[in-house]
Amino acid sequence: MEETLQQAWRELDEPALPEGWQLFTDTMGIQIYRLYDEQTGLYEYKVYGGLADCPADLCADVYMDLDYRKQWDKNVKALQEEKSGEDKVIYWEVKYPFPLSNRDYVYVRERRDLDINGRKIFVILANSVSVPNWPEKSGIIRVHGYKQSLAIESDGKNGCKIFMYYFDNPGGMIPLWLINWAAKSGVPNFLKDMQKACKGYKQSSS
């Protein structure tokens, strides 16, 4: 966990893209790279970009606020957090277009607010887990192997720089066009929605 955390914030300074990583798309100021994973036949992704008019601390708060996300993220079917032993476990059901089945995630996450030589950096890590109080549901495909790292820092103005790594295995038979759309359009659109959510969050809390 500690190594993943350190690696995440360092990517804000210098992207770590060893051999095999390829630029997948560059749109709306967001660069997405991907790496083919032979074991699963799926891709890992790294996202570099920023959000104007969304300060870093506000961006981190919005990302962590599950109740607020249910208001602005149209793909959320269900989202809740419960105590499971020592951890707080999140259950998240994502809407998929017909005729595909919805997917759900069960995961834990951690937020760390770092001071790196005077720089304030927010890092959020998430990993899927298996817990008895969230068994798989009929008609919904459970996503396994979900991993995400998010690092956020001020851009020196009124916005923030963002690095995100993610991988998941959505299971089932998903058409290639949908996987490509989710990576090329879904991530930039999610960040655009999050930018709007930051502005709404300021208004709702003022």
Side-chain angles (χ1 to χ4, degrees):
M1 182 72 78
E2 197 64 33
E3 183 180 344
T4 303
L5 186 143
Q6 295 295 327
Q7 183 180 343
W9 73 259
R10 288 193 175 106
E11 297 246 20
L12 289 168
D13 292 338
E14 188 172 344
L17 297 166
E19 186 177 354
W21 285 93
Q22 297 177 332
L23 180 64
F24 184 47
T25 186
D26 186 344
T27 180
M28 296 186 289
I30 307 293
Q31 292 82 45
I32 302 176
Y33 292 81
R34 69 180 185 179
L35 177 68
Y36 183 70
D37 181 65
E38 291 187 5
Q39 187 175 356
T40 61
L42 300 167
Y43 286 93
E44 301 173 68
Y45 294 92
K46 288 186 176 184
V47 181
Y48 303 88
L51 299 178
D53 301 319
C54 185
D57 56 346
L58 177 64
C59 185
D61 289 346
V62 166
Y63 192 83
M64 293 293 290
D65 192 328
L66 299 181
D67 286 334
Y68 184 52
R69 181 160 179 175
K70 286 186 279 189
Q71 298 177 37
W72 63 265
D73 187 346
K74 61 185 180 296
N75 295 315
V76 170
K77 173 74 174 178
L79 187 59
Q80 60 191 97
E81 187 176 53
E82 285 190 5
K83 191 85 171 171
S84 178
E86 293 297 309
D87 295 316
K88 287 184 177 178
V89 178
I90 296 169
Y91 174 80
W92 175 32
E93 182 183 343
V94 181
K95 298 175 187 174
Y96 268 58
F98 180 84
L100 299 174
S101 300
N102 284 358
R103 265 58 177 175
D104 65 4
Y105 298 70
V106 177
Y107 65 98
V108 293
R109 68 176 178 178
E110 178 183 359
R111 170 178 167 172
R112 298 274 285 274
D113 298 357
L114 307 178
D115 187 327
I116 309 294
N117 299 323
R119 297 165 57 188
K120 196 168 186 182
I121 301 174
F122 305 90
V123 178
I124 301 165
L125 306 178
N127 283 282
S128 58
V129 292
S130 179
V131 292
N133 51 325
W134 287 115
E136 297 188 26
K137 300 178 180 179
S138 176
I140 302 174
I141 295 177
R142 176 63 47 87
V143 174
H144 298 286
Y146 170 60
K147 295 182 291 184
Q148 186 180 61
S149 306
L150 179 67
I152 310 167
E153 181 183 26
S154 171
D155 63 3
K157 302 173 186 174
N158 196 41
C160 61
K161 297 188 295 181
I162 288 177
F163 161 74
M164 182 168 65
Y165 163 88
Y166 69 95
F167 173 83
D168 64 30
N169 185 348
M173 298 298 292
I174 300 181
L176 185 59
W177 68 263
L178 183 58
I179 293 174
N180 286 336
W181 173 87
K184 282 192 173 181
S185 303
V187 173
N189 286 339
F190 171 77
L191 293 176
K192 272 179 63 180
D193 289 344
M194 198 167 158
Q195 188 175 36
K196 293 177 188 174
C198 284
K199 295 176 181 176
Y201 203 64
K202 284 190 287 188
Q203 293 166 1
S204 64
S205 59
S206 59

